[in-house]
Amino acid sequence: MGSDTIDSDIRAKQKELDDAAADLAEAQTALGNFNATAPINGTVTSCTLTPGAEVKSGETVITISNNTNMVVEITVDDRNISFVQPGMTVDLTDYNGNTFLGTVSSIDMSIGDNSANGMTSYPVTLDVDNSAGTCWPASWLDYSVRG
């Protein structure tokens, strides 16, 4: 191998190194300029990002929920529904013993598919104060309606 060939190979490898260094600097600048800001205060409730994944424009990769006030649906059977009225207070407790206060906002008195084994259940919608942020969507809650 002649010195011209070696010099040419060295120059080619040096160009590859210089190009890679420029690409790295550009990527580091882009990363430094990256700043994702949510339009609301809240909690990240889902994230589909994985390290190294490419994100396409318009793709939803993070879901943020503001769960300060939540809407919770409970079911009340036909023996007790007559005691429940809009505006009543409901005490709720999750599996960790966290307690929440809810207010009955509506009662759906249509039977629909809520009847089984001779018993009818009615959906009751509550507005729940979750200012502590400890009530999670799809949680199981015990409830007690105040009289």
Side-chain angles (χ1 to χ4, degrees), residues 1-11:
M1 219 183 226
S3 66
D4 287 342
T5 304
I6 293 173
D7 288 345
S8 177
D9 287 348
I10 291 173
R11 282 191 297 276

Side-chain angles (χ1 to χ4, degrees), residues 127-138:
D127 292 322
V128 177
D129 175 20
N130 187 33
S131 53
T134 53
C135 185
W136 292 95

Side-chain angles (χ1 to χ4, degrees), residues 9-102:
D9 287 348
I10 291 173
R11 282 191 297 276
K13 294 297 180 190
Q14 185 61 51
K15 178 164 179 9
E16 286 179 31
L17 274 171
D18 292 344
D19 290 347
D23 289 346
L24 176 61
E26 183 180 333
Q28 287 173 328
T29 298
L31 180 60
N33 291 336
F34 178 76
N35 184 19
T37 305
I40 62 168
N41 290 330
T43 302
V44 173
T45 55
S46 73
C47 177
T48 59
L49 288 174
T50 56
E54 183 177 325
V55 178
K56 295 173 183 64
S57 178
E59 181 180 6
T60 300
V61 293
I62 295 175
T63 302
I64 299 173
S65 299
N66 183 343
N67 294 333
T68 304
N69 294 303
M70 296 185 70
V71 174
V72 173
E73 186 176 287
I74 61 173
T75 55
V76 178
D77 64 43
D78 55 5
R79 292 174 297 177
N80 295 304
I81 196 66
S82 64
F83 301 109
V84 180
Q85 300 296 322
M88 293 181 91
T89 300
V90 179
D91 296 308
L92 299 136
T93 306
D94 70 8
Y95 65 94
N96 284 325
N98 296 313
T99 58
F100 313 95
L101 285 179

